[in-house]
Amino acid sequence: WVLNEAGDYSGPPYNRGDAYDFSDIFETKYFVERRRRFWPALTADKNGKTMGYFLEVSYDGGANWKQYLGAFENRLDECAIWLSSDRLDIDTWIAALKGMLKFRMTASVVSDERLSCVFADGPIDSIRPVVDHIVLMPSRFKYRRVSGKSIFANACDENLGKPDEADDSAALYEYVRGKAQADSQILETIEVQTGYLMADYQVGDCVINSPESRDIFGLRRDNRSIAVIEQVELDFEKQNTNLKIIRFRKRLI
């Protein structure tokens, strides 16, 4: 029995129809038609042990279902099972001959989407180009959820325990946020030339805005940044002052 998730069995000689549509399970239409595999179900018994690969059989074309107690093997290269009993029971043979034999598997399948988040820590309203930093953490943060299509979804069964679900979205965001805030790289380097000599400016002075200023450095719009004078040059020949100002993100404690 195969799910035909990759469409390998759609044409002759199998003629199994269209590839299986995971959109209801994954809750998105964006996935690749490719071979996958079954993993143990997230649903657990009252002792916390997974229900494993919960296979059901129907002898009347899907009108009624019951757990299949015969031996079977789970394929590792596609969503498929192999009935491995030495001898099939009479009900299975009769249903197969009538074309009424169906199987239903409750297990886990890995989707194509991955847990992700975006944290913006760059200059705001600046002409400086935005630089993306991509951090890959393939095994640290996880997302697992029992589908609403599962036979165990919202089941009130005293024999069932808490499913092995996980949602590390908040932890991932805090990780990315902390990593961005720990980065002390300079956001902008700004060069300013005044029309007269200004001997009072010193290296290390912070740049502030008065209520009447035009907020050239955008500090009122971005209160997470700070601008500091890094270099002062007095040009007595031209009677002007050249300032080099850097803007960087303030650390949050």
Side-chain angles (χ1 to χ4, degrees):
W1 176 83
V2 295
L3 191 61
N4 192 33
E5 71 276 12
D8 296 335
Y9 305 96
S10 297
Y14 307 102
N15 300 315
R16 290 292 305 274
D18 295 336
Y20 183 80
D21 186 0
F22 278 107
S23 57
D24 284 344
I25 305 297
F26 294 159
E27 297 182 351
T28 177
K29 63 180 180 179
Y30 301 107
F31 62 90
V32 179
E33 288 186 359
R34 62 177 179 85
R35 287 195 175 195
R36 303 175 191 269
R37 60 155 294 183
F38 291 128
W39 294 89
L42 300 179
T43 303
D45 60 22
K46 60 183 179 180
N47 296 319
K49 183 179 180 181
T50 177
M51 299 295 290
Y53 307 99
F54 193 82
L55 182 64
E56 296 175 283
V57 63
S58 174
Y59 301 119
D60 52 13
N64 296 282
W65 296 92
K66 66 178 183 178
Q67 185 177 2
Y68 182 74
L69 300 178
F72 69 92
E73 296 179 3
N74 177 48
R75 293 287 300 271
L76 302 181
D77 59 344
E78 60 182 334
C79 292
I81 55 137
W82 175 267
L83 302 182
S84 56
S85 298
D86 293 336
R87 180 179 298 178
L88 298 177
D89 60 85
I90 188 65
D91 292 335
T92 301
W93 276 113
I94 293 176
L97 292 173
K98 291 182 177 180
M100 302 294 285
L101 182 65
K102 288 190 175 183
F103 288 95
R104 183 170 68 182
M105 172 68 83
T106 300
S108 298
V109 178
V110 179
S111 73
D112 293 331
E113 286 195 272
R114 295 295 179 266
L115 202 61
S116 63
C117 77
V118 177
F119 183 82
D121 192 49
I124 299 176
D125 295 332
S126 171
I127 62 173
R128 183 181 177 90
V130 175
V131 178
D132 292 331
H133 297 272
I134 300 176
V135 180
L136 300 177
M137 305 290 292
S139 59
R140 180 168 178 177
F141 301 98
K142 305 180 185 303
Y143 181 86
R144 300 186 298 270
R145 191 168 70 86
V146 175
S147 169
K149 300 295 182 179
S150 171
I151 62 172
F152 297 121
N154 303 317
C156 298
D157 191 328
E158 61 181 8
N159 295 318
L160 296 181
K162 185 178 180 180
D164 182 25
E165 295 183 310
D167 186 355
D168 293 338
S169 300
L172 174 61
Y173 180 82
E174 288 303 318
Y175 174 83
V176 174
R177 177 174 176 268
K179 190 172 181 61
Q181 290 180 345
D183 189 354
S184 60
Q185 66 176 340
I186 297 173
L187 300 179
E188 283 188 295
T189 300
I190 307 163
E191 294 184 356
V192 178
Q193 185 178 80
T194 67
Y196 46 90
L197 292 173
M198 304 184 70
D200 293 335
Y201 287 161
Q202 301 292 326
V203 173
D205 286 349
C206 291
V207 179
I208 60 175
N209 291 311
S210 70
E212 296 80 18
S213 72
R214 291 182 294 167
D215 192 24
I216 297 175
F217 305 115
L219 298 177
R220 285 202 296 266
R221 299 190 301 273
D222 182 10
N223 57 12
R224 297 177 301 166
S225 296
I226 185 171
V228 176
I229 296 177
E230 186 182 55
Q231 179 179 308
V232 179
E233 180 184 83
L234 300 177
D235 191 331
F236 291 94
E237 182 179 350
K238 296 182 178 179
Q239 291 292 297
N240 57 35
T241 303
N242 298 314
L243 301 176
K244 182 178 180 181
I245 300 172
I246 59 172
R247 185 156 73 99
F248 57 90
R249 184 72 72 224
K250 293 185 291 186
R251 293 182 180 271
L252 298 181
I253 306 300

